């Protein structure tokens, strides 16, 4: 396999005054070159912490306590801060939920776009300017030349997110990580940004990791999905497997809350009831047991391993060991 990223048994904890919060409890996955992977789960599932571990941008109390993060074969955990800084600007681009956290309000968009090109690509000012204008036009910003001279507050929310994407792709990164890139936007703009990401994947041939709480968001952009819960990957498979052949009750819960008439079912949208597990004291058994309507005794006492369901499709649920054929995913019809 042509892996760009290979995460092996990653464990990340936060050391707080009340104890160790095991935010990521030992996950492994890889990403091929040019592939788009969705990481889906509720807040607190460990999806953003996984990416912050990868970027080495954890808060002071956070630490990778075990595992490897191999990017093109090099373990990012072992790099010096300087080497990591180079990778962050050059090889891995990141888009956050709120562009204002990444855009500096006191500098023009042009200056902010040109800076990484001058710093990481050794461009002179004139080339950096031309490239920055080109990037703004790639992400669909009208009159890019004029926009270069404007400040972030002169852009709408959707346009700011486009600028963020332009900044993230300016150095042609091998990997683009987008953390809830559309959550703060209204539905129409959301669809446009997702369409843009899909387009960029082909145009600049970058690998993408799209992090979201909403399965509907990844459906069109990603070919594979990891579902995370309680700091673990509980199901992983192709987008079609996850939507039409899911074998984990938590994924079924997420599917029931996707407002997509094409893929779903007659049932009304239903949030998953109950609370995620306390990661100060992670449960010994299945992390979803307290909220799962199918829970059995074994679920409380023993953590389910990732059972192989099909090619590249795994699910950590005991039902797959004991009674899988009786239980169906809520998505019944393949589109
Ligand atoms: Fe539910 Fe048990 Fe499966 Fe966990 S292992 S999701 S508790 S049935």
């Amino acid at each position: 396999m042509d892996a760009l990223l290979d995460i092996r048994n990653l464990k990340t904890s936060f050391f707080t005054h009340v104890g160790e919060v095991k935010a990521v409890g030992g996950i492994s996955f890889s990403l091929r070159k040019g592939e788009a992977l969705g990481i889906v789960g509720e807040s607190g599932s460990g999806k953003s912490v996984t990416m912050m571990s990868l970027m080495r941008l954890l808060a002071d109390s956070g630490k990778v306590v075990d595992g490897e993060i191999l990017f093109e074969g090099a373990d990012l955990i072992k790099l010096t801060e300087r080497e990591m800084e180079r990778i962050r600007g050059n090889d891995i681009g990141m888009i956050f939920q709120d562009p204002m956290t990444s855009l500096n309000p006191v500098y023009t968009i042009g200056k902010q776009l040109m800076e990484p090109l001058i710093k990481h690509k050794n461009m002179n000012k004139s080339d950096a300017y031309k490239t920055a204008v080109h990037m703004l036009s790639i992400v669909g910003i009208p009159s890019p030349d004029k926009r270069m001279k404007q400040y972030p507050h002169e852009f709408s929310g959707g346009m700011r997110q486009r600028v963020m994407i332009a900044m993230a792709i300016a150095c042609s990164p091998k990997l683009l990580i987008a953390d809830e890139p559309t959550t703060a936007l209204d539905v129409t703009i959301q669809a446009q940004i997702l369409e843009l990401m899909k387009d960029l994947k082909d145009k600049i041939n970058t690998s993408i990791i799209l992090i979201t709480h909403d399965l509907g968001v990844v459906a069109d952009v990603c070919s594979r999905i990891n579902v995370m819960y309680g700091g673990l990957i509980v199901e992983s498979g192709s987008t079609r497997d996850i939507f039409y052949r899911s074998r984990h009750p938590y994924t079924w819960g997420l599917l029931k809350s996707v407002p997509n008439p094409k893929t779903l079912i007659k049932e009304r949208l239903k949030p998953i009831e109950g609370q995620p597990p306390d990661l100060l004291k992670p449960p010994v058994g299945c992390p979803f047991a307290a909220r799962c309507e199918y829970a059995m005794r074994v679920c409380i006492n023993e953590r389910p391993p990732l059972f192989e369901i099909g090619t590249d499709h795994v699910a950590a649920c005991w039902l797959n060991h004991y009674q899988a054929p009786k239980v169906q995913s809520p998505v019944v019809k393949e589109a």
Side-chain angles (χ1 to χ4, degrees):
M1 186 182 65
D2 211 4
L4 176 71
L5 177 72
D6 199 2
I7 293 190
R8 298 180 185 166
N9 192 33
L10 176 71
K11 293 183 182 171
T12 300
S13 292
F14 289 90
F15 295 87
T16 69
H17 66 284
V18 281
E20 180 182 353
V21 178
K22 295 180 175 166
V24 177
I27 62 165
S28 302
F29 66 91
S30 41
L31 179 73
R32 300 178 190 99
K33 286 183 181 153
E35 185 177 37
L37 169 74
I39 301 188
V40 183
E42 291 165 299
S43 93
S45 60
K47 55 193 195 308
S48 294
V49 176
T50 301
M51 287 309 116
M52 287 306 189
S53 307
L54 190 165
M55 294 295 275
R56 298 244 314 252
L57 291 173
L58 289 167
D60 287 348
S61 60
K63 190 171 186 293
V64 172
V65 291
D66 202 2
E68 291 176 310
I69 302 175
L70 303 173
F71 182 76
E72 296 194 304
D75 190 351
L76 297 185
I77 299 166
K78 295 192 178 127
L79 298 188
T80 63
E81 189 44 44
R82 212 180 157 157
E83 289 167 326
M84 195 58 215
E85 220 172 84
R86 205 180 142 64
I87 289 207
R88 275 198 291 263
N90 225 358
D91 295 326
I92 307 179
M94 191 147 183
I95 306 166
F96 297 93
Q97 178 179 342
D98 178 7
M100 284 314 264
T101 56
S102 311
L103 292 173
N104 190 328
V106 301
Y107 293 124
T108 61
I109 291 300
K111 183 175 166 58
Q112 297 185 61
L113 267 167
M114 286 163 62
E115 203 178 82
L117 294 167
I118 294 168
K119 187 171 163 195
H120 294 293
K121 292 284 175 196
N122 296 322
M123 283 188 191
N124 59 35
K125 269 194 170 171
S126 154
D127 286 345
Y129 185 87
K130 280 186 220 146
T131 309
V133 171
H134 178 60
M135 286 301 158
L136 288 181
S137 64
I138 282 188
V139 298
I141 294 193
S143 321
D145 217 12
K146 184 176 134 213
R147 293 298 223 164
M148 287 281 285
K149 299 174 194 77
Q150 294 183 326
Y151 291 86
H153 73 269
E154 297 177 80
F155 287 70
S156 67
M159 283 294 158
R160 275 201 290 262
Q161 196 54 292
R162 283 174 191 262
V163 172
M164 267 289 295
I165 296 175
M167 278 175 70
I169 61 167
C171 293
S172 312
K174 294 167 184 157
L175 172 61
L176 184 63
I177 299 173
D179 191 353
E180 303 275 9
T182 59
T183 306
L185 305 171
D186 72 45
V187 181
T188 321
I189 312 288
Q190 241 185 49
Q192 289 170 5
I193 295 289
L194 289 175
E195 195 53 41
L196 169 66
M197 290 197 57
K198 216 165 74 178
D199 216 38
L200 287 175
K201 185 166 74 76
D202 305 328
K203 269 193 196 151
I204 62 170
N205 193 30
T206 188
S207 304
I208 291 179
I209 296 181
L210 180 52
I211 302 166
T212 173
H213 64 280
D214 182 351
L215 258 177
V217 163
V218 292
D220 276 346
V221 182
C222 301
S223 55
R224 265 195 327 132
I225 297 174
N226 287 344
V227 179
M228 285 192 76
Y229 185 79
L232 298 168
I233 292 175
V234 294
E235 186 162 17
S236 174
S238 71
T239 301
R240 295 191 86 77
D241 280 338
I242 296 296
F243 270 80
Y244 302 113
R245 292 175 282 279
S246 162
R247 297 287 283 271
H248 197 289
Y250 177 62
T251 312
W252 302 341
L254 290 178
L255 286 165
K256 283 178 190 165
S257 50
V258 177
N260 184 342
K262 265 204 290 188
T263 48
L264 292 174
I265 44 193
K266 297 149 205 137
E267 271 178 87
R268 300 233 319 269
L269 291 182
K270 231 171 53 177
I272 305 168
E273 279 176 26
Q275 295 299 318
D278 177 3
L279 296 179
L280 266 171
K281 286 183 239 118
V284 269
C286 172
F288 192 55
R291 301 167 81 182
C292 179
E293 60 184 286
Y294 304 98
M296 304 167 278
R297 185 168 303 170
V298 63
C299 306
I300 313 286
N301 299 328
E302 241 181 284
R303 180 163 293 176
L306 281 163
F307 291 101
E308 206 172 307
I309 310 297
T311 314
D312 280 339
H313 182 193
V314 289
C317 172
W318 285 117
L319 290 174
N320 295 295
H321 189 62
Y322 293 109
Q323 47 169 291
K326 289 185 198 155
V327 186
Q328 295 291 324
S329 158
V331 181
V332 288
K333 262 200 182 151
E334 198 153 344

